[in-house]
Amino acid sequence: MINSLFGPIFFVSIGLEVNARHLDGRFAFFFLLLLIAVVGKIVGCGAGALLSGFTRRESLVVGVGMTHGAKWD
């Protein structure tokens, strides 16, 4: 119940604080951070799945799937 209530409120409040005008031409830095975050999640989650006994393909699917952030209830 707590995660269902406060999780979305937290992410909305963080999203409202983002202002693209503050980038001031630092788009390369922004995309570098975005790339590091996505690759880090794919590698981290994929490695965890691989160590848990998943195949390489299944581990890649888990890693890529974790970047989406979908909640399947």
Side-chain angles (χ1 to χ4, degrees):
M1 177 69 181
I2 298 285
N3 288 339
S4 298
L5 178 66
F6 292 118
I9 292 172
F10 169 75
F11 287 112
V12 166
S13 67
I14 295 298
L16 288 172
E17 294 292 324
V18 173
N19 189 348
R21 292 182 185 161
H22 290 166
L23 286 175
D24 292 329
R26 296 184 200 113
F27 291 106
F29 180 68
F30 169 75
F31 285 113
L32 177 66
L33 285 179
L34 183 64
L35 180 68
I36 290 170
V38 170
V39 170
K41 184 160 283 196
I42 291 172
V43 170
C45 295
L50 194 63
L51 291 173
S52 296
F54 285 73
T55 66
R56 289 181 131 180
R57 178 169 165 70
E58 292 169 338
S59 298
L60 180 62
V61 169
V62 169
V64 171
M66 292 300 286
T67 63
H68 185 268
K71 192 173 180 183
W72 301 92
D73 287 333

